[in-house]
Amino acid sequence: AKVVENQTFGDKVVENAIEIDGYNKVAPTSGEVEITTGTNEITFYYEIIKYPFTVKYYYNNVEDRNAIVEGSAPEGTIITIADKSKDGFKKYAEPADTEIKASQTANVFKVYYGKPEAEIKKSAPEQVNYGENIHYTITVTNSGFLGTTVTVTHPLAGTSYKDGSSTEPVSV
């Protein structure tokens, strides 16, 4: 509250709303009061400044535009990130700091989910002569965004495994 001293009956006092960090003035931002008996006051109103924010969700590095969350909040507010995991996806990265900054553009928070997408390809010659070794290649490719362990079992009828002819199991 501000008190204006040395005023007499009938004086007119004009005041303007002061600046307050984090708040916008609401019109009217100036006022006049004539000094009379009783209470003589001018009241100004303020609204808190809210800054826009966006939370974006990515699945295997592709933005899901249907999952976007937009809003606004005062500076210093900590945004709670909703869990929007989908079947088979696991969260692997999220923002460490979700505090709203006094900025119109800096409040974009990104959350990443991933899942393995393993593909198995097999190749071998169409024919081999009796008693020859079969060179059979199995390739496992993970184009997803999370590692996984894949076990491939593919028996070939009428054959036996030659010790040491395969590489160690790998994670993809």
Side-chain angles (χ1 to χ4, degrees), residues 118-154:
E119 179 183 355
I120 300 172
K121 291 184 180 178
K122 304 172 279 183
S123 66
E126 290 188 27
Q127 293 183 356
V128 293
N129 295 323
Y130 181 80
E132 288 182 337
N133 289 333
I134 300 173
H135 296 280
Y136 195 86
T137 302
I138 299 173
T139 304
V140 179
T141 305
N142 179 9
S143 59
F145 284 78
L146 285 182
T148 188
T149 301
V150 177
T151 302
V152 178
T153 305
H154 189 71

Side-chain angles (χ1 to χ4, degrees), residues 81-115:
I81 303 290
D83 182 7
K84 293 197 174 195
S85 57
K86 295 180 180 180
D87 190 35
F89 285 89
K90 293 172 100 177
K91 188 185 315 177
Y92 69 88
E94 66 182 333
D97 177 13
T98 60
E99 181 178 335
I100 296 296
K101 308 295 187 264
S103 168
Q104 295 296 318
T105 59
N107 298 307
V108 177
F109 308 104
K110 298 178 180 181
V111 183
Y112 293 89
Y113 293 87
K115 72 176 180 178

